[in-house]
């Protein structure tokens, strides 16, 4: 397993609308994608683009995550962190199924089967207790034309 590109940092928030104002007005974000519901994950998400090394808006994204009604994982995170905060890190891999097999072979707890994530590619999460205390999302690298 090789460390892939850091695709995004997941930030849980009680209000995507308020978080957008923060990233736009305080952090100076110039490219904020339209929020959308991801009902199969029980969340509303919104991506904020950051600059890459060349100055273009192709750096690591911020993924704002707000729970939809009935979501217990993000809602319980927000109970402990009422203002929100960093929820997870997401790294890219070329092949999601190989990555899952490698993590499991190392004894890491993969949380569920690969499923379609917010970028439209397959993802899975690895338990934070097996990842240095950080909930880690693994996603298959989007093909050209895919993703947000």
């Amino acid at each position: 397993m090789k460390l892939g590109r850091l695709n995004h940092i997941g930030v849980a928030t009680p209000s995507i609308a308020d978080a957008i104002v923060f990233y736009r007005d305080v952090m100076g974000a110039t490219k904020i994608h339209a929020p959308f519901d991801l009902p199969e994950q029980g969340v509303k998400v919104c991506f904020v683009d950051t600059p890459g090394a060349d100055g273009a808006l192709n750096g690591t994204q911020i993924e704002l995550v707000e729970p939809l009604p009935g979501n217990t994982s993000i809602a319980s995170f927000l109970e402990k962190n009422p203002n929100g905060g960093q929820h997870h890190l997401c790294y890219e891999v070329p092949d999601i199924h190989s990555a899952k097999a490698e993590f499991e072979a190392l004894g890491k707890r993969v949380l569920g089967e690969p499923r379609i994530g917010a970028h439209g590619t397959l993802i899975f999460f690895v338990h934070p207790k097996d990842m240095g205390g950080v909930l880690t999302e693994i996603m298959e690298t989007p093909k050209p034309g895919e993703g947000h």
Side-chain angles (χ1 to χ4, degrees):
M1 187 73 218
K2 288 187 178 179
L3 184 65
R5 176 180 177 268
L6 179 61
N7 181 279
H8 66 266
I9 298 168
V11 176
T13 178
S15 168
I16 282 181
D18 292 346
I20 286 172
V21 171
F22 170 79
Y23 279 93
R24 183 189 64 225
D25 296 352
V26 175
M27 300 303 292
T30 58
K31 177 65 175 171
I32 300 172
H33 297 259
F36 61 96
D37 288 352
L38 197 58
E40 55 276 3
Q41 305 282 337
V43 294
K44 176 183 286 204
V45 299
C46 176
F47 286 99
V48 178
D49 291 353
T50 68
D54 60 1
L57 292 176
N58 59 359
T60 298
Q61 291 182 309
I62 306 297
E63 178 189 36
L64 303 174
V65 183
E66 177 184 329
L68 291 174
N71 177 303
T72 55
S73 62
I74 301 293
S76 63
F77 179 91
L78 290 171
E79 283 176 19
K80 295 176 196 142
N81 307 279
N83 295 323
Q86 181 183 321
H87 182 259
H88 67 273
L89 297 178
C90 177
Y91 296 97
E92 294 180 10
V93 296
D95 183 295
I96 197 80
H97 299 289
S98 294
K100 181 178 183 285
E102 288 182 49
F103 277 110
E104 289 174 336
L106 292 170
K108 306 301 181 190
R109 288 170 279 184
V110 172
L111 305 174
E113 291 300 314
R115 59 196 178 277
I116 298 294
H119 281 95
T121 65
L122 289 171
I123 64 145
F124 63 81
F125 285 88
V126 185
H127 198 289
K129 289 184 179 176
D130 295 334
M131 300 299 288
V134 178
L135 179 62
T136 303
E137 180 180 355
I138 303 298
M139 73 174 273
E140 197 161 83
T141 302
K143 310 294 183 270
E146 279 183 339
H148 295 272

